[in-house]
Amino acid sequence: MEQVKAVGQEQSPSEPRRVCVTGATHGIGLAIATGFAQEGARVVINAHTSTDNGACDRLAELSECHYVQADLSTSAGARDVITEACALLGGLDTLVCNAGSFFDVPFSELTEDQIDRTLNLNVKGYLLCAQAFANQVTPAQSNPSIVCTGSTNGHAAEKNSVAYDTSKGAVLMMVRSLAVTLAQQGIRVNGVGPGLVDTPLTHPGLSRAGRRKNAAAQIPLGRIGAPGDVAGAALFLASEAASYITGQMLYVDGGILAQQMLWDPET
């Protein structure tokens, strides 16, 4: 990818926000990008694939949108996506670190490669994107912020999800540490922690016989989440309405973490 110097420009509060959402061609990332576009933000979306499957064209019906291909599990890819986004938009005001995945297998079968792939994308990629974003923020910018996609798995463990749980636990602490570290630059850092959300990543598991019904029965609100549920929380955390909120993980889980063991799972 061609290297372009990142430029931070003065911004009037009335100007459209400049937003980069990583991992945004489907699922939660696309819903977040759509929410920003509906508000009139200029948006850059990202994925590691050569095509965006039409996501950018759909978003362009709402607002300016660009697609940047970059593999955020690599150091170069994580930095390049911010450099390219800044070149396209003249700087960035909001970064949503959302690209992530999981490779869940029984712990005895977990390989070093699967551990590296999980941590490189879910943790290292977030850190390097956040660093590149912070380095281009100028004092003239209004309400610069970072929103990281965490998970309820960063707070409560799931069987045979050791690498993923570890990565999302790291994201929780990353949000807090970055919030303290970047506060002097006026950059707020928060996270959204989805519970069980119906996305292309979770759909295969939810499609197994009885799995969807059983899962929904254990969620206090009685339903599996939709990507739009998480998008609303992310947009709030990036907004002026949240200007005194930093270092927080807002769980969007239908009440999963609020509930202890069920005495009778069938009710």
Side-chain angles (χ1 to χ4, degrees), residues 35 85 138 141 145 195 202:
T138 70
Q141 288 178 245
S145 71
T202 60

Side-chain angles (χ1 to χ4, degrees), residues 63-131:
S63 186
E64 177 183 348
C65 182
H66 306 271
Y67 176 67
V68 175
Q69 178 189 3
D71 182 358
L72 304 192
S73 68
T74 68
S75 301
R79 295 188 177 103
D80 284 350
V81 70
I82 302 302
T83 299
E84 186 70 11
C86 287
L88 289 165
L89 302 181
L92 285 173
D93 305 299
T94 301
L95 168 65
V96 181
C97 292
N98 174 76
S101 192
F102 53 82
F103 310 97
D104 291 344
V105 296
F107 182 62
S108 62
E109 300 173 15
L110 185 64
T111 66
E112 183 175 359
D113 178 66
Q114 289 168 324
I115 294 170
D116 287 344
R117 289 167 65 193
T118 302
L119 296 181
N120 284 343
L121 180 58
N122 295 5
V123 182
K124 185 178 179 181
Y126 279 29
L127 279 172
L128 291 176
C129 283
Q131 182 184 56

Side-chain angles (χ1 to χ4, degrees), residues 28 97-105 107 110-111 114-123 126 148-172 192-197 199 201-202 249 251:
I28 291 172
C97 292
N98 174 76
S101 192
F102 53 82
F103 310 97
D104 291 344
V105 296
F107 182 62
L110 185 64
T111 66
Q114 289 168 324
I115 294 170
D116 287 344
R117 289 167 65 193
T118 302
L119 296 181
N120 284 343
L121 180 58
N122 295 5
V123 182
Y126 279 29
C148 296
T149 300
S151 172
T152 51
N153 288 57
H155 186 83
E158 183 178 347
K159 183 180 178 180
N160 285 326
S161 189
V162 178
Y164 181 75
D165 291 358
T166 299
S167 74
K168 290 306 181 179
V171 171
L172 173 59
V192 287
L196 181 56
V197 177
T199 71
L201 280 176
T202 60
M249 181 67 70
Y251 291 103

Side-chain angles (χ1 to χ4, degrees), residues 235-254:
L235 265 66
F236 163 69
L237 289 172
S239 73
E240 291 287 349
S243 62
Y244 199 57
I245 299 175
T246 196
Q248 303 301 310
M249 181 67 70
L250 176 55
Y251 291 103
V252 187
D253 66 354

Side-chain angles (χ1 to χ4, degrees), residues 7 12 36 39 58 76 85 94 129 157 161 186 210-211 241 250 256 262:
V7 179
S12 164
F36 278 113
E39 292 186 346
R58 294 194 296 274
T94 301
C129 283
S161 189
R211 181 72 63 85
L250 176 55
I256 291 174
L262 298 175

Side-chain angles (χ1 to χ4, degrees), residues 169-216:
V171 171
L172 173 59
M173 198 62 216
M174 183 193 307
V175 164
R176 294 171 177 171
S177 187
L178 285 175
V180 173
T181 300
L182 299 179
Q184 62 185 5
Q185 289 182 248
I187 301 172
R188 297 184 303 104
V189 185
N190 292 290
V192 287
L196 181 56
V197 177
D198 195 349
T199 71
L201 280 176
T202 60
H203 186 74
L206 289 172
S207 297
R208 297 178 188 174
R211 181 72 63 85
R212 184 178 294 271
K213 180 179 179 181
N214 290 339

